[in-house]
Amino acid sequence: MHIPQQLPLLPVRDVVIFPYMIIPLFVGREKSIAAVEQALSQDRIIFLASQKDLVDEDPAPENIYSFGTAAMIMRMLKLPDGRIKILVQGLARARIEAVLADMPCYEVRIELLDDPPLTVGALEVEALMRTVRDQLAQLVNLGKALQPEVMVALENVEDPGSLADLVASNIGLRVPEAQVLFEAIDPFERLGLVKDTLAKELEVAAVQNRIQSQAKEEMTRSQREYFLREQLRAIQAELGEGDARAEEMAELREQLLEAKLPEEASKEAEKQLRRLEAMHPEAAEYSMLRTYLDWLVELPWSVTTRDNLNLKKARQVLDEDHFDLEKIKERILEYLAVRKLKKDMKGPVLCFVGPPGVGKTSLGKSIARALGRKFVRISLGGVRDEAEIRGHRRTYVGALPGRVMQSMKQAGSCNPVFMLDELDKVGGVDFRGDPSAALLELLDPEQNHAFSDHYINLPFDLSKVLFIATANILDPIPRALQDRLEVIELSGYTSEDKLAIARRYLVPRQREANGLKEKDLRISDKALLKLISEYTAEAGLRNLERQIGSICRKVARRFAEGKRKPVLVNEASVARLLGPPLFLAEEERREHEVGVATGLAWTEAGGEVLYVEVSVMKGKGDLALTGHLGEVMKESAHAALSYARANAEQLGIDPLRFEESDIHIHVPAGAIPKDGPSAGITMATALISALTGRPVSKDVAMTGELTLRGKVLPIGGLKDKALAAVRAHIDTLIIPYRNDKDLVDIPAPLRKKLRFIKVRSVAEVLDAALAEPAADDA
């Protein structure tokens, strides 16, 4: 058939039309309809080329592939909606040489592309054609649908180019992939590309077939198991062996009755049990419901332990376990006394606050032993998720009750001693909620009779629980939570207390822990005092017990080596066993110094001695603060300077000196952050000493905050600060007058070692702390 060189162009989308391919096309665009009409008015031949962008309604020539097919319009049918349906047959490959017109339709000049002669042998061509036919047969076996007439044509085609075109046009390739095959002019090369494409399609079809087979197998297996279970159930019923599931449900119902659930919980349990009975065991919700009912059964709804109401015996147990701590022992005995008189009293919520190592956690076990109750403990340090306290709702996969309900199940009674350790280290508010807010209901005696866990979702009575919280400091605990706590403060121990505790508890415990008997090792009181003063510097007892344990291990090694002679550790042998002392008394202040004052600070680890140094040098009136100070201490320094400037004449300071001098205030140990409101009078004393030249007494330590008017404000932690002063061999303490009431808490032996000077103003502080200048300085 003669094909003209100038033809109307019909852009097609979604398909690449190969030679000899017959395909129906729907034509709706104005230019496309004009192209069809022009072709029909001439010799019915039209040029078909695929457009690159499928959604482009008016493609420009550059957006249409230049390779296409010259085709004949075999039939044409006008549709009611204005579109045209045509049946076309591809005739020959061609390439657009030029676009001659774009209105009313694209008209192009084409170059026909004939297949070049084969350059390979007939055997190679035959082998490649057989390979392609085999691949296509495999694809059909894997589920690829092909028309029967296409399969017949494939067997009869002898030309490699025609075979390639026939296969490529019938395997459903995307336009870019099909266009690559179409543009391969060499028939052998084109057939090779078709072979590679069929190989990829075979891999995809094999994987798809495997996935479908697996899914079908899973479905078939589950259906088979279901039918087998139903048959087994029917067989058991016929044999009269009873239904194992019915027995299981009956047992669960009996356990719920024995648990003596409250009325509301009992109704919910019965409702969920009925749901469980009606549910198939293979249902997704079955195991979740069963776990929930198991939790309801195992929680101690009405199980209580009998309290030991013998006050004398309880006192004996508390004294056996802990030395001193009179406030706490009195509070526990008061609780027992009221419990003896009033059976249905609510449990208190105590909070022990004090430095590490003073026995807060071990007190909980001791109290439980004294009361005859179960003891459970959860550590709140680092808890950041509210769900750890209250649990997750049952809608979540793997949901469980919170740690409170888990601990109640572990206790096995509804009135244990429940310790909440490290309350001050609970995480803050974030996207997981506020754990401290979740504790509000738990620790409120007016609310915890109906504590609600998200998983259990039923009120649980915690009013009989004796809650004990522990913390190192109160400040991080939210105010609303503090309001629910009965705070009992534990201070550090004096050297005498530590000696008594070491003799009574620590040495026997470490001897036993290291396999020694009492006759094998004895440690003298002087040796213990040396350990306390030179090998530990703490408010608590942990490091002291470690040092005693170290001595016990060295003695145990001697015994293991065959030296069975009993050992007496005295003051002289401590250094031989443990090496040189770790902590020496401060040696910086052997004499009265100008511009150096001794202050007392309180940290969560107990009391500490703090030195404040001031230097005055020529300058322009600047103030420098060093020593890693916090904002509060910086403000105290500015307040001290303002007081000194405002009262310069009374203090004997030249007012011009402030403008002509730079002042540097330094607190040594700069790597340690320091903050707090009790260093005000210490800074003022050191500053005024430096400006007046009067030295500060080396035997005086002080604590207190000052105002701009020179008044001294009260502080906290007086007992711990007094212990720190004794450890530093200081015998005189300047304290605010309003802290006089706190002297009652300081043990009598400690008060005898110290002289307390109570002051109302900075003037009284200076009178007590500043010494007269040396004679050669006058």
Side-chain angles (χ1 to χ4, degrees):
M1 181 179 293
H2 173 68
I3 299 173
Q5 281 194 319
Q6 189 170 325
L7 291 175
L9 168 65
L10 174 61
V12 294
R13 43 188 169 189
D14 276 342
V15 67
V16 174
I17 297 168
F18 286 80
Y20 308 110
M21 182 177 175
I22 299 174
I23 185 171
L25 297 174
F26 289 90
V27 182
R29 294 181 286 196
E30 288 183 13
K31 279 188 176 182
S32 299
I33 292 173
V36 172
E37 289 175 346
Q38 184 173 328
L40 289 171
S41 67
Q42 295 172 354
D43 46 14
R44 305 178 71 88
I45 297 177
I46 193 167
F47 188 70
L48 306 174
S50 302
Q51 61 185 66
K52 296 177 182 178
D53 187 357
L54 302 182
V55 297
D56 193 350
E57 287 297 326
D58 186 15
E62 61 269 16
N63 291 329
I64 300 171
Y65 288 108
S66 59
F67 282 78
T69 304
M72 173 177 281
I73 302 174
M74 300 170 67
R75 292 179 191 167
M76 186 271 287
L77 176 66
K78 290 191 175 181
L79 301 175
D81 58 1
R83 292 185 301 160
I84 296 175
K85 180 180 178 183
I86 58 174
L87 185 67
V88 296
Q89 179 183 11
L91 298 176
R93 269 184 181 74
R95 184 177 60 221
I96 298 173
E97 285 188 334
V99 178
L100 305 175
D102 60 355
M103 292 301 288
C105 64
Y106 286 122
E107 196 167 341
V108 294
R109 185 172 68 247
I110 63 169
E111 176 194 359
L112 293 174
L113 303 171
D114 295 326
D115 287 352
L118 292 170
T119 58
V120 294
L123 286 176
E124 290 182 38
V125 172
E126 181 63 27
L128 186 56
M129 291 177 70
R130 285 188 185 183
T131 302
V132 169
R133 287 192 180 103
D134 289 344
Q135 286 177 321
L136 197 62
Q138 291 176 38
L139 200 58
V140 170
N141 290 335
L142 288 173
K144 186 73 174 177
L146 286 181
Q147 297 293 334
E149 55 268 23
V150 174
M151 299 301 295
V152 173
L154 284 170
E155 294 299 326
N156 296 322
V157 172
E158 299 297 335
D159 176 51
S162 299
L163 179 62
D165 290 345
L166 186 60
V167 173
S169 62
N170 283 281
I171 58 175
L173 298 177
R174 290 178 299 176
V175 170
E177 296 170 354
Q179 190 69 28
V180 171
L181 297 177
F182 184 87
E183 293 182 6
I185 304 302
D186 185 271
F188 189 78
E189 179 191 347
R190 193 187 321 147
L191 193 59
L193 291 173
V194 169
K195 176 184 75 70
D196 296 340
T197 304
L198 283 174
K200 288 181 190 174
E201 291 292 320
L202 274 171
E203 286 181 16
V204 173
V207 172
Q208 185 179 2
N209 201 46
R210 186 167 66 249
I211 292 169
Q212 288 175 347
S213 299
Q214 287 174 352
K216 189 175 180 181
E217 282 175 15
E218 289 291 331
M219 187 172 65
T220 307
R221 185 164 61 246
S222 63
Q223 286 174 341
R224 185 170 64 250
E225 286 177 2
Y226 173 77
F227 287 126
L228 287 172
R229 288 182 194 280
E230 290 299 322
Q231 288 173 354
L232 181 62
R233 188 176 289 113
I235 292 167
Q236 286 176 337
E238 286 294 325
L239 292 174
E241 292 180 357
D243 189 349
R245 185 168 169 231
E247 290 177 11
E248 183 186 353
M249 293 299 110
E251 184 183 349
L252 189 55
R253 191 181 296 277
E254 189 178 340
Q255 288 175 344
L256 287 168
L257 287 173
E258 290 174 358
K260 296 180 181 176
L261 275 64
E263 184 179 354
E264 187 178 347
S266 181
K267 285 181 181 176
E268 179 67 17
E270 181 63 31
K271 175 184 169 185
Q272 299 299 339
L273 185 58
R274 284 199 300 271
R275 283 185 63 202
L276 191 69
E277 287 173 336
M279 197 177 291
H280 193 278
E282 299 301 316
E285 202 179 352
Y286 184 89
S287 61
M288 184 271 287
L289 261 182
R290 181 60 208 260
T291 306
Y292 175 66
L293 288 170
D294 285 341
W295 270 100
L296 293 186
V297 166
E298 291 168 359
L299 283 174
W301 297 90
S302 54
V303 181
T304 57
T305 53
R306 190 173 179 182
D307 282 346
N308 165 35
L309 299 177
N310 185 333
L311 272 66
K312 191 176 289 185
K313 187 178 177 184
R315 176 76 199 207
Q316 182 183 344
V317 169
L318 290 170
D319 286 341
E320 281 176 10
D321 290 351
H322 286 86
F323 178 80
D324 197 15
L325 303 179
E326 287 302 319
K327 271 189 182 180
I328 294 173
K329 292 177 181 176
E330 287 297 323
R331 180 64 186 87
I332 299 306
L333 294 173
E334 287 167 9
Y335 169 71
L336 279 178
V338 176
R339 181 84 177 77
K340 197 170 185 178
L341 300 175
K342 185 173 171 55
K343 302 295 181 188
D344 59 345
M345 72 169 290
K346 294 174 181 174
V349 181
L350 307 178
C351 181
F352 300 156
V353 179
V358 296
K360 300 184 295 298
T361 305
S362 61
L363 259 173
K365 294 180 183 176
S366 178
I367 290 167
R369 193 164 80 88
L371 295 176
R373 292 189 178 190
K374 300 287 183 67
F375 174 77
V376 287
R377 169 188 168 274
I378 62 173
S379 177
L380 297 175
V383 171
R384 294 188 170 275
D385 192 347
E386 181 192 353
E388 286 197 49
I389 308 294
R390 281 188 174 273
H392 290 91
R393 301 201 180 277
R394 296 202 303 274
T395 50
Y396 294 104
V397 176
L400 280 175
R403 290 166 70 173
V404 174
M405 288 291 105
Q406 291 183 32
S407 298
M408 293 302 294
K409 173 189 167 183
Q410 177 191 339
S413 71
C414 63
N415 65 335
V417 173
F418 199 126
M419 173 155 280
L420 301 164
D421 227 354
E422 311 293 353
L423 185 61
D424 55 333
K425 296 172 183 65
V426 175
V429 183
D430 66 5
F431 67 93
R432 291 164 290 193
D434 184 359
S436 58
L439 295 170
L440 293 176
E441 181 186 8
L442 177 70
L443 298 179
D444 191 339
E446 297 300 322
Q447 297 180 40
N448 62 15
H449 66 277
F451 176 76
S452 178
D453 182 273
H454 288 155
Y455 180 84
I456 303 297
N457 202 27
L458 291 168
F460 190 90
D461 186 4
L462 295 174
S463 62
K464 296 174 185 173
V465 177
L466 174 56
F467 285 105
I468 299 176
T470 71
N472 294 131
I473 47 176
L474 268 179
D475 290 346
I477 303 174
R479 184 62 59 186
L481 196 52
Q482 285 186 37
D483 190 52
R484 288 160 167 79
L485 304 172
E486 185 179 334
V487 177
I488 300 175
E489 293 190 1
L490 282 77
S491 301
Y493 293 107
T494 64
S495 296
E496 290 78 8
D497 290 341
K498 289 182 180 180
L499 176 62
I501 294 168
R503 215 171 29 223
R504 191 182 301 182
Y505 303 103
L506 306 185
V507 174
R509 189 159 67 203
Q510 285 300 318
R511 263 201 306 247
E512 184 182 349
N514 290 281
L516 300 173
K517 295 179 181 174
E518 189 174 354
K519 61 183 177 62
D520 295 334
L521 171 66
R522 289 191 301 116
I523 304 177
S524 69
D525 287 356
K526 287 186 177 179
L528 288 173
L529 284 170
K530 187 177 179 70
L531 285 177
I532 291 164
S533 60
E534 296 183 13
Y535 288 84
T536 65
E538 57 176 348
L541 297 159
R542 285 204 181 104
N543 284 324
L544 177 59
E545 186 169 5
R546 288 190 188 106
Q547 297 295 351
I548 294 169
S550 181
I551 290 174
C552 291
R553 287 194 299 277
K554 294 182 187 306
V555 173
R557 180 183 170 185
R558 246 185 233 182
F559 276 50
E561 290 172 350
K563 302 173 185 175
R564 302 293 302 179
K565 187 178 178 183
V567 176
L568 170 64
V569 178
N570 56 28
E571 189 177 6
S573 57
V574 170
R576 193 169 63 251
L577 288 167
L578 297 180
L582 302 176
F583 301 95
L584 296 174
E586 296 287 353
E587 296 183 358
E588 288 86 350
R589 303 210 60 199
R590 295 194 171 195
E591 55 188 25
H592 305 325
E593 291 180 76
V594 174
V596 181
T598 306
L600 296 170
W602 184 88
T603 68
E604 60 181 67
E608 297 287 344
V609 171
L610 204 68
Y611 294 104
V612 176
E613 301 177 346
V614 178
S615 290
V616 181
M617 60 214 88
K618 287 185 179 181
K620 300 177 181 179
D622 293 335
L623 174 65
L625 302 169
T626 55
H628 210 329
L629 307 184
E631 291 300 322
V632 178
M633 285 192 78
K634 288 178 181 177
E635 290 172 6
S636 296
H638 284 286
L641 179 59
S642 296
Y643 173 79
R645 293 186 69 174
N647 299 275
E649 292 183 6
Q650 294 93 318
L651 296 169
I653 304 169
D654 182 3
L656 293 175
R657 194 171 182 194
F658 291 103
E659 297 175 7
E660 298 169 352
S661 307
D662 285 348
I663 298 172
H664 185 170
I665 299 179
H666 177 64
V667 182
I672 302 169
K674 310 170 191 74
D675 204 4
S678 58
I681 64 171
T682 313
M683 288 187 167
T685 304
L687 179 64
I688 293 168
S689 165
L691 290 167
T692 59
R694 293 179 61 187
V696 182
S697 172
K698 64 182 175 60
D699 302 317
V700 174
M702 61 197 76
T703 179
E705 182 58 303
L706 84 161
T707 68
L708 291 177
R709 299 289 180 269
K711 293 181 180 178
V712 180
L713 302 178
I715 44 83
L718 184 60
K719 181 182 175 183
D720 289 306
K721 291 176 179 178
L723 287 169
V726 169
R727 286 199 297 269
H729 306 292
I730 293 170
D731 55 14
T732 304
L733 252 66
I734 298 174
I735 64 171
Y737 187 83
R738 289 168 63 186
N739 280 111
D740 184 40
K741 58 183 176 55
D742 297 321
L743 294 178
V744 180
D745 296 330
I746 298 178
L750 186 61
R751 283 206 303 270
K752 288 178 183 175
K753 293 181 180 179
L754 295 166
R755 180 168 70 97
F756 292 94
I757 300 174
K758 290 159 266 186
V759 296
R760 287 188 173 88
S761 65
V762 176
E764 294 177 25
V765 174
L766 298 176
D767 289 342
L770 296 183
E772 292 300 323
D776 56 338
D777 293 338

